[in-house]
């Protein structure tokens, strides 16, 4: 039931974002929510956002500006989901340093894909148990 509530909340936030009515998450709120994840994910805080370390030796660090984070949610398993302005979701595990960045859909097609987003979020949350 809680996951259905999160999907409905996500749909409303995406629609508000496209209409220009959604403001980004305040940087202080973002940093507060990231506290339990900072040590395991080696997150660096900057005045403009956060820096996540590279996943492999050949890749570069991932930079997320605080202005790009439109919504935050965490579930009872400790997974923090950051909904980004470009239609991506960044998932941080609370039990390991594993993370995923999922492209939910292109920004211009978000309204058409709300049901797909709901299904993908449900599948992502279920797949996190297999980490």
């Amino acid at each position: 039931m809680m996951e259905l509530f999160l999907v409905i909340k996500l749909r409303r936030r995406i629609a508000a974002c496209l209409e220009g009515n959604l403001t980004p998450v305040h940087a202080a709120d973002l940093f507060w929510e990231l506290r339990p994840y900072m040590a395991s994910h080696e997150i660096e805080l900057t005045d403009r956002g956060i820096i996540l370390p590279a996943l492999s030796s050949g890749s570069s660090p991932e930079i997320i500006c605080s202005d790009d984070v439109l919504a935050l949610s965490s579930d009872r398993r400790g997974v923090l989901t950051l909904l980004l302005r470009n239609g991506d979701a960044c998932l941080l595990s609370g039990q390991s340093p594993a993370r995923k960045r999922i492209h939910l859909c292109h920004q211009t097609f978000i309204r058409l894909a709300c049901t797909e987003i709901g299904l993908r979020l449900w599948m992502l949350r279920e797949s996190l148990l297999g980490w």
Side-chain angles (χ1 to χ4, degrees), residues 3 75-79 94-95 124-129:
E3 300 200 355
D75 64 5
R76 60 183 168 267
R77 291 182 224 129
V79 177
Q95 297 148 355
L124 287 172
R125 293 201 186 277
E126 294 303 314
S127 70
L128 287 173
L129 291 175

Side-chain angles (χ1 to χ4, degrees), residues 21-129:
N21 297 333
L22 183 64
T23 58
V25 173
H26 193 275
D29 295 333
L30 173 64
F31 296 159
W32 182 261
E33 289 293 326
L34 285 171
R35 284 177 308 111
Y37 303 89
M38 289 185 64
S40 63
H41 290 277
E42 300 175 9
I43 297 172
E44 294 180 39
L45 301 179
T46 67
D47 57 342
R48 301 192 50 99
I50 62 173
I51 300 173
L52 297 167
L55 289 175
S56 62
S57 60
S59 64
S60 60
E62 184 175 358
I63 300 171
I64 300 175
C65 294
S66 59
D67 291 342
D68 290 339
V69 179
L70 297 178
L72 296 167
S73 69
S74 59
D75 64 5
R76 60 183 168 267
R77 291 182 224 129
V79 177
L80 180 67
T81 304
L82 306 173
L83 176 65
L84 304 178
R85 185 178 304 276
N86 64 358
D88 289 358
C90 183
L91 294 110
L92 303 172
S93 172
Q95 297 148 355
S96 70
R99 74 175 190 262
K100 290 184 181 181
R101 181 147 180 172
I102 307 298
H103 182 68
L104 295 174
C105 60
H106 192 273
Q107 195 172 9
T108 57
F109 300 111
I110 288 180
R111 278 196 190 115
L112 299 174
C114 277
T115 54
E116 182 183 351
I117 290 171
L119 291 173
R120 284 190 184 189
L121 282 177
W122 178 79
M123 289 176 9
L124 287 172
R125 293 201 186 277
E126 294 303 314
S127 70
L128 287 173
L129 291 175

